[in-house]
Amino acid sequence: MSDGSSTPYLVVETGSHEGQRINLTGAHLTVGRLPNCDVQFEDPYMSRTHAALWQRGGADYVEDLGSAGGTFVNGEAVTVPRRLYPGDRVRLADLQLRYSAGEGGRTAVRYDVGEQRADTINNVGRDQYVQHFIQQQRENFFREIAATRTRARGLIWVGVLVFVVGLGIAVVGWYKYFGQIVNFSSASMPTTDDFSGFLIFAVGGLVNVVGMLLIIAGIVLHIVATSRRRRVDRDLPPPQLMR
């Protein structure tokens, strides 16, 4: 990787770091949130050690390091080291950058296509396919999340109903048991029937516990669905945010 005006670089196009430039002057650079990364970004969606930028045979490559938010080149997920060509868009989580070989720098020739126009058309078609695939995944996840939230609300309402019924049973049992205690005389011993109020009270309390468990289960399920929604928005952003 050369110095001066011919130095290849990546420049941030969108987000809080817009305009920040990464000069690819080293043989190997790590990018992430950790202070010991060669290039550090204070971005909550970026992994601690997100990606690597390195050179081989006079060409620059980007490699994902198992990040949560993913690394993309022109909308395509990077699963193996990917060579960069002038004009390529690189997305690290929510951060989008553009690669340039530098003014007067080397010009990379793509031998994998017959002509540049065909390559451009192929890139457009590929990007559209990737965006359509991501949109389908988002819709599938959102349907599942919506169904989970519906089940969560159902559990909460059923739990509330069961709790109210149990509370009513417990109140009836308590008053009946309290009345029986008052009517006990020192001359008579309480019979099994005299404790029916206590049994009713105990049943009501048990129903209350069941209602509370249903309410807690519904709340936990709703929290899980909300957390999953945030994770989908982070890992699979809307296609328009990828441009």
Side-chain angles (χ1 to χ4, degrees):
M1 300 182 185
S2 56
D3 299 324
S5 61
S6 63
T7 301
Y9 62 88
L10 284 164
V11 61
V12 180
E13 291 188 317
T14 59
S16 57
H17 296 275
E18 183 175 355
Q20 182 172 338
R21 176 168 163 164
I22 305 174
N23 290 321
L24 305 181
T25 56
H28 187 278
L29 301 173
T30 55
V31 183
R33 287 190 290 110
L34 289 179
N36 59 354
C37 287
D38 298 304
V39 181
Q40 183 186 12
F41 285 108
E42 296 292 341
D43 189 299
Y45 297 109
M46 185 169 291
S47 296
R48 291 177 294 178
T49 305
H50 194 102
L53 300 164
W54 46 276
Q55 180 194 40
R56 184 177 65 190
D60 295 308
Y61 291 80
V62 62
E63 178 183 4
D64 186 76
L65 299 180
S67 65
T71 301
F72 300 82
V73 175
N74 299 327
E76 183 177 358
V78 174
T79 56
V80 296
R82 174 74 174 264
R83 183 177 179 178
L84 297 176
Y85 295 91
D88 279 349
R89 259 67 178 183
V90 179
R91 185 166 66 82
L92 308 174
D94 281 356
L95 215 63
Q96 180 160 293
L97 308 93
R98 177 176 53 82
Y99 172 76
S100 174
E103 182 181 353
R106 61 181 178 271
T107 301
V109 179
R110 307 190 71 158
Y111 296 101
D112 55 337
V113 293
E115 58 178 342
Q116 187 62 34
R117 179 176 176 81
D119 177 66
T120 302
I121 294 174
N122 288 339
N123 283 341
V124 171
R126 180 189 60 198
D127 292 348
Q128 289 177 345
Y129 171 78
V130 171
Q131 292 178 5
H132 178 68
F133 176 74
I134 290 177
Q135 184 63 32
Q136 281 188 326
Q137 281 193 315
R138 282 176 58 86
E139 290 175 357
N140 291 338
F141 280 129
F142 287 160
R143 280 195 291 268
E144 294 176 6
I145 292 170
T148 301
R149 284 179 169 175
T150 300
R151 288 194 295 270
R153 287 193 293 267
L155 282 174
I156 292 173
W157 281 112
V158 171
V160 170
L161 179 61
V162 171
F163 181 84
V164 171
V165 171
L167 185 62
I169 294 174
V171 169
V172 171
W174 172 255
Y175 276 106
K176 185 173 182 180
Y177 177 67
F178 183 79
Q180 291 168 343
I181 292 295
V182 172
N183 291 332
F184 283 163
S185 63
S186 57
S188 62
M189 294 296 295
T191 64
T192 303
D193 291 339
D194 293 327
F195 289 99
S196 60
F198 177 79
L199 294 177
I200 294 174
F201 174 78
V203 170
L206 182 61
V207 174
N208 277 343
V209 171
V210 173
M212 286 296 299
L213 291 176
L214 289 173
I215 293 172
I216 293 173
I219 293 174
V220 170
L221 201 60
H222 192 275
I223 293 174
V224 169
T226 302
S227 175
R228 193 177 182 191
R229 169 62 186 265
R230 292 174 180 171
R231 188 164 60 248
V232 170
D233 284 334
R234 181 193 66 191
D235 296 342
L236 295 173
Q240 60 267 24
L241 296 182
M242 298 173 55
R243 298 172 184 171

